[in-house]
């Protein structure tokens, strides 16, 4: 461990920032609910994964050895906004007339590409639900043994009323059972549940189901929530440090995970529950079901009608981290292009700092800036405050560059180390490799030469086509009396 700093985390369980005390000193067990791979992850999904990647990087920066488990949901029935349990992977497979795992595999390849694009560190383990059916069955058996579940016609349901005699259902979301009753449609005659708040642990197979597993209750599929209980227990234990996910998973998914864990093992699975807030479009949560979503690649390629131009993946990652993970973030062309200017300023600072020469003495104190950045990380992973301190560091870099300030060799080395660690290691913003820049410069020479030829021949259509095409790809061309430049 590095020198001890006191990290505080906003715990959704208490609704307060709390000092972080790990179960085992120097170690953190972190579980984050991963994607359901029935379609390509949208930009909203990516915001949550970027936020938790940042949190993971911060914990490592603070010296913790982190075991980061993020699952992939490739089976199971998900509860939709109307409270119905649906098999979204099976539905997608039937629609595309392929097998369920073909759907999952196709979108997992995309998801892995997106993780590389947005520079997400791979989790320690990425377990799948289908590879843990046995563990899910065992967890259900344990809950049945404890008397918190019942079998009904080949399905198993969690018994919220029985559970409520020993534990408090609603401890995370604050939902009260009688309020839930008013929200939820009345049980109809076909419902097998005894109580409206009961939820499926195991669902009897339907004739159209493509993925079916054998269980003590007959052929069927696991419910949605039980996979996280089974996998978090297997890899992190009955209780671990931090459980995360998007805010929309707080209820019912996380509430039901807590109920399952308490039911099976008598304890809340996590000591700290963290929820990342939503990426919005015009104030509304980006969601596949609202139809207001766009794909990460549309942003990078500049093909979304919502945006006038393309935005590079590091610029988008920076934009995401300019908002605190607990705040909502509205994604607009204006907000992205304003953030892109800051992003370029930061990258400029990063490239300048490496080329500065030390003076004989320091005329400025850079340590308060470094301390502010460290404090921002420890204050519930405050990325916007961290970025603000980096902008203060950029001011110092410019002052030194302009000869208005100097740093001795030791302080300059500290500033350079701080800058690269924070931008690349903690914020996870990688600048394009030198080799790639070099190759791009070669291509741009050719393109601008062709544009110049077109202009000389007064072929404005071609010259505009080149300029607009480059703009879409995020490259601005500027003509001046000294010639043409691009960035
Ligand atoms: P899903 O594949 O729907 O289970 O979602 C994967 C993750 O993305 C979950 O943690 C969700 O909470 C999160 N998520 C879904 N929509 C958004 C959004 N608009 N903004 C941020 N996170 C989201
Ligand atoms: Zn989960």
């Amino acid at each position: 461990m590095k020198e001890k700093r006191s990290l505080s985390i906003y715990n959704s369980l208490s609704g307060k920032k709390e000092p972080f005390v790990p179960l085992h000193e120097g170690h953190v067990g972190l579980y984050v609910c991963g994607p359901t791979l029935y379609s390509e992850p949208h930009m909203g999904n990516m915001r949550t994964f970027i936020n938790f990647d940042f949190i993971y990087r911060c914990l490592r920066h603070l010296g913790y050895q982190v075991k980061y488990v993020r699952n992939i949901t490739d089976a199971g029935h998900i509860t939709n906004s109307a409270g119905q349990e649906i098999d979204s992977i099976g539905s997608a497979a039937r629609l595309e007339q392929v097998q369920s795992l073909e759907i999952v595999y196709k979108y997992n390849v995309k998801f892995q590409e997106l993780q590389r694009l947005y520079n997400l560190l791979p989790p320690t383990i990425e377990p799948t639900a289908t590879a843990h059916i046995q563990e899910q069955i065992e967890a259900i058996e344990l809950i049945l043994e404890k008397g918190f579940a019942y079998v009904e016609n080949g399905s198993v349901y969690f018994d919220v009323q029985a559970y409520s005699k020993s534990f408090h259902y609603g401890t995370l979301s604050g939902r009260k059972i009688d309020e839930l009753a008013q929200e939820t449609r009345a049980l109809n005659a076909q419902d097998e549940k005894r109580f409206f708040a009961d939820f499926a642990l195991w669902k009897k197979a339907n004739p159209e189901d493509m993925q079916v597993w054998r269980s003590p209750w007959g052929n069927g599929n696991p419910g949605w929530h039980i996979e996280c209980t089974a996998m978090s227990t297997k890899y992190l234990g009955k209780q671990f440090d931090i459980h995360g996910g998007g805010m929309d998973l707080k209820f019912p998914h996380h509430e039901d995970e807590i109920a399952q864990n308490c039911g099976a093992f008598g304890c809340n699975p996590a000591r700290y529950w963290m929820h990342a807030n939503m990426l919005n479009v015009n104030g509304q949560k980006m969601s596949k079901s609202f139809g207001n979503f766009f794909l990460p690649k549309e942003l990078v390629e500049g093909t979304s009608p919502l945006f006038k131009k393309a935005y590079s993946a590091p610029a988008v990652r920076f934009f995401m981290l300019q908002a605190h993970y607990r705040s909502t973030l509205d994604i607009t062309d204006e907000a992205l292009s304003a953030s892109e200017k800051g992003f370029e300023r930061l990258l400029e600072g990063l490239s300048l700092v490496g080329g500065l020469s030390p003076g004989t003495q320091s005329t400025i104190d850079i340590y308060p800036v470094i301390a502010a950045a460290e404090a921002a990380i420890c204050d519930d992973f405050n990325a916007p405050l961290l970025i603000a301190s980096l902008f203060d560091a950029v001011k110092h870099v410019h002052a030194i560059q302009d000869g208005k300030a100097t740093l001795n060799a030791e302080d300059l080395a500290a500033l350079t180390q701080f800058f690269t660690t924070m931008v690349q290691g903690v914020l996870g913003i990688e600048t394009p490799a030198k080799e790639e820049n070099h190759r791009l410069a070669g291509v741009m020479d050719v393109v601008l030469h062709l544009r110049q030829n077109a202009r000389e021949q007064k072929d404005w259509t071609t010259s505009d086509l080149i300029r607009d095409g480059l703009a879409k790809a995020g490259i601005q061309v500027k003509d001046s009396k000294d010639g043409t430049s691009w960035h």
Side-chain angles (χ1 to χ4, degrees):
M1 286 280 285
K2 283 187 197 167
E3 109 197 47
K4 250 197 160 17
R5 301 188 195 99
S6 55
L7 168 65
S8 67
I9 295 183
Y10 181 90
N11 191 346
S12 301
L13 268 178
S14 62
K16 285 196 296 258
K17 272 189 213 168
E18 295 174 10
F20 177 65
V21 184
L23 277 169
H24 307 284
E25 198 176 343
H27 293 260
V28 177
L30 168 67
Y31 186 93
V32 173
C33 296
T36 306
L37 290 173
Y38 71 102
S39 63
E40 195 167 330
H42 58 62
M43 212 54 237
N45 301 131
M46 290 316 288
R47 179 182 181 208
T48 288
F49 299 130
I50 289 171
N51 273 327
F52 280 103
D53 178 66
F54 170 69
I55 289 164
Y56 176 43
R57 285 166 180 271
C58 288
L59 289 167
R60 285 161 47 123
H61 172 75
L62 295 174
Y64 289 108
Q65 203 173 323
V66 187
K67 186 161 171 188
Y68 176 18
V69 182
R70 193 188 57 211
N71 69 304
I72 284 175
T73 299
D74 58 351
H77 286 67
I78 289 158
T79 318
N80 69 9
S81 48
Q84 298 149 330
E85 278 144 3
I86 51 161
D87 173 15
S88 45
I89 297 169
S91 307
R94 282 189 288 278
L95 200 69
E96 296 191 26
Q97 297 194 327
V98 294
Q99 289 188 317
S100 297
L101 278 188
E102 286 182 62
I103 292 288
V104 170
Y105 187 75
K106 177 164 109 180
Y107 294 120
N108 196 15
V109 168
K110 291 264 179 240
F111 182 51
Q112 302 299 325
E113 279 170 19
L114 290 174
Q115 289 183 66
R116 283 193 292 277
L117 183 68
Y118 288 97
N119 201 27
L120 304 190
L121 296 174
T124 322
I125 318 175
E126 233 178 340
T128 61
T130 52
H132 296 80
I133 300 294
Q134 189 54 37
E135 287 83 348
Q136 297 182 67
I137 290 173
E138 283 165 20
I140 297 169
E141 283 178 323
L142 212 50
I143 299 170
L144 274 166
E145 268 170 37
K146 300 276 168 74
F148 299 131
Y150 54 91
V151 183
E152 195 67 57
N153 185 30
S155 294
V156 187
Y157 294 97
F158 192 88
D159 188 340
V160 172
Q161 283 172 307
Y163 175 79
S164 299
K165 292 191 184 120
S166 311
F167 298 94
H168 170 55
Y169 183 80
T171 183
L172 175 69
S173 61
R175 305 263 185 132
K176 298 203 167 53
I177 291 184
D178 32 336
E179 283 169 14
L180 280 171
Q182 289 161 17
E183 279 178 33
T184 318
R185 74 210 146 88
L187 289 180
N188 59 39
Q190 295 99 46
D191 260 318
E192 296 164 345
K193 296 182 199 175
R194 290 183 192 159
F195 186 58
F196 64 89
D198 294 351
F199 54 90
L201 297 171
W202 186 263
K203 278 294 258 190
K204 181 186 176 172
N206 286 318
E208 72 272 18
D209 283 347
M210 291 188 183
Q211 298 195 102
V212 171
W213 288 271
R214 225 179 274 163
S215 81
W217 317 287
N219 287 349
N221 287 276
W224 172 31
H225 318 303
I226 197 72
E227 66 169 275
C228 288
T229 300
M231 292 188 266
S232 65
T233 308
K234 175 157 181 171
Y235 297 108
L236 296 170
K238 291 171 187 159
Q239 194 176 54
F240 50 93
D241 297 297
I242 305 174
H243 192 312
M247 200 74 98
D248 56 342
L249 297 186
K250 219 177 194 184
F251 187 86
H253 184 53
H254 290 163
E255 197 66 76
D256 291 348
E257 265 190 72
I258 293 175
Q260 290 168 165
N261 215 81
C262 288
F265 310 116
C267 60
N268 192 312
R271 308 215 310 170
Y272 301 82
W273 281 83
M274 295 182 68
H275 290 97
N277 218 326
M278 296 291 106
L279 183 71
N280 289 345
V281 180
N282 295 322
Q284 189 188 37
K285 172 194 165 186
M286 180 181 288
S287 152
K288 204 156 187 260
S289 51
F290 297 150
N292 63 350
F293 70 99
F294 55 85
L295 300 177
K297 72 162 184 268
E298 294 177 280
L299 209 50
V300 178
E301 291 169 0
T303 49
S304 163
L306 285 177
F307 303 98
K308 294 194 197 89
K309 65 185 222 48
Y311 291 95
S312 72
V316 173
R317 185 178 164 112
F318 176 79
F319 168 74
M320 298 284 183
L321 294 176
Q322 269 194 312
H324 188 252
Y325 78 86
R326 281 194 288 119
S327 314
T328 54
L329 173 64
D330 225 276
I331 188 160
T332 62
D333 207 24
E334 295 71 39
L336 262 172
S337 81
S339 157
E340 194 181 41
K341 292 197 178 75
F343 171 70
E344 283 165 3
R345 204 147 40 95
L346 196 66
L347 289 196
E348 192 190 16
L350 188 65
S351 74
L352 283 177
V353 76
L356 297 176
S357 310
T360 49
Q361 55 168 347
S362 297
T363 61
I364 43 173
D365 184 1
I366 50 144
Y367 294 99
V369 171
I370 297 177
E374 298 289 353
I377 290 173
C378 289
D379 183 10
D380 194 26
F381 311 104
N382 197 320
L385 270 185
L386 166 63
I387 291 171
S389 71
L390 284 169
F391 283 133
D392 287 338
V394 172
K395 282 186 206 141
H396 287 326
V397 169
H398 281 290
I400 301 166
Q401 169 82 3
D402 298 343
K404 294 181 186 139
T406 58
L407 282 182
N408 67 24
E410 188 191 339
D411 291 350
L412 183 60
L415 180 66
T416 311
Q417 158 91 20
F418 159 72
F419 223 106
T420 46
T421 303
M422 290 300 170
V423 176
Q424 296 174 334
V426 179
L427 289 175
I429 289 169
E430 283 298 342
T431 48
K434 267 206 183 95
E435 192 199 337
E436 207 176 299
N437 269 343
H438 185 69
R439 217 179 296 158
L440 180 63
V443 173
M444 283 304 294
D445 282 348
V446 177
V447 174
L448 292 180
H449 188 76
L450 290 174
R451 180 166 170 269
Q452 189 54 32
N453 282 352
R455 280 159 69 94
E456 279 163 15
Q457 286 160 28
K458 303 208 181 330
D459 177 2
W460 308 121
T461 316
T462 305
S463 100
D464 287 354
L465 193 77
I466 293 174
R467 194 200 48 219
D468 296 347
L470 288 173
K472 268 207 143 178
I475 298 172
Q476 305 295 328
V477 174
K478 218 160 117 189
D479 298 305
S480 71
K481 56 179 180 351
D482 302 325
T484 303
S485 62
W486 61 273
H487 75 276

